[in-house]
Amino acid sequence: MDKRVQLITNFRDLFDKMVWLNKSKMEDSLKGFKPSEVHCIESIGKNIDPNVTKLAESLYMTRGAISKLTKKLMDKGLIESYQRSDNKKEIYFRLTEQGKVIYKIHEELHKEFQERDKVVFEQVTDEEFDSMLRFVENYSRHLDAEIKKQGLTVH
């Protein structure tokens, strides 16, 4: 098998295994919330002044999908919208206290999964990490260029 194909296949398998392994714990701890809702909450919690465009870009979703998602999250009382005094045109989002609880549960689960997998990462040298990170960053830049070349946007 071509090493490029093998590498991509292995990345997909690895990602699928992580999702499958983490899924039941995530679903139990975040019952009643869809993955897209939790990821939107995470993105709002991690970004400064997140708006529809920023969220669409970070979640690889359309702005229309983000508008629907943020409305749903506002209806559930998990996020609220606000405007900055220096920009009355743009609408931004922040977590409510209830949204912060979901954010914290999600973050704690990620920490738990990192702790579970720590044994693997402890065996990786700094040089190996640097090499893998360089590859992933290069590939990501390539995909960004392809996205731009194909005119794909988050509209």
Side-chain angles (χ1 to χ4, degrees):
M1 180 186 295
D2 180 319
K3 284 187 177 185
R4 292 171 293 189
V5 172
Q6 186 177 358
L7 183 62
I8 294 301
T9 300
N10 288 354
F11 270 135
R12 283 190 184 139
D13 287 346
L14 180 65
F15 182 75
D16 289 344
K17 284 178 190 177
M18 287 172 55
V19 169
W20 184 72
L21 186 59
N22 299 348
K23 185 179 180 183
S24 64
K25 185 117 191 190
M26 283 279 194
E27 286 175 347
D28 289 346
S29 299
L30 297 164
K31 208 177 284 299
F33 299 99
K34 295 178 180 169
S36 60
E37 293 172 330
V38 175
H39 288 126
C40 189
I41 288 168
E42 177 185 32
S43 191
I44 290 169
K46 287 187 175 179
N47 284 293
I48 297 167
D49 293 330
N51 59 19
V52 169
T53 301
K54 265 190 190 178
L55 293 171
E57 288 171 355
S58 72
L59 297 171
Y60 296 94
M61 295 173 75
T62 64
R63 291 196 315 238
I66 293 295
S67 293
K68 287 180 184 176
L69 188 53
T70 52
K71 181 180 180 343
K72 193 184 298 186
L73 292 173
M74 283 192 284
D75 291 345
K76 289 183 175 186
L78 299 168
I79 66 171
E80 60 190 10
S81 62
Y82 67 95
Q83 293 177 305
R84 292 191 336 213
S85 58
D86 63 331
N87 183 354
K88 293 290 186 189
K89 186 183 108 181
E90 192 66 54
I91 294 174
Y92 302 95
F93 302 98
R94 64 178 156 235
L95 301 177
T96 62
E97 287 308 311
Q98 189 180 351
K100 288 176 185 175
V101 169
I102 301 303
Y103 178 84
K104 186 170 173 35
I105 290 169
H106 187 247
E107 289 296 300
E108 291 300 318
L109 287 168
H110 277 290
K111 285 180 189 169
E112 182 182 322
F113 301 148
Q114 286 174 346
E115 188 64 28
R116 175 197 67 206
D117 299 340
K118 184 171 74 172
V119 63
V120 174
F121 291 94
E122 289 173 341
Q123 299 172 32
V124 180
T125 67
D126 281 343
E127 293 79 18
E128 290 171 325
F129 269 123
D130 290 342
S131 178
M132 288 185 278
L133 289 169
R134 204 169 29 256
F135 169 75
V136 170
E137 289 163 3
N138 286 340
Y139 196 19
S140 184
R141 276 194 300 276
H142 165 74
L143 294 176
D144 287 341
E146 284 298 311
I147 288 167
K148 189 174 182 178
K149 188 165 83 176
Q150 292 182 27
L152 298 173
T153 61
V154 293
H155 299 123

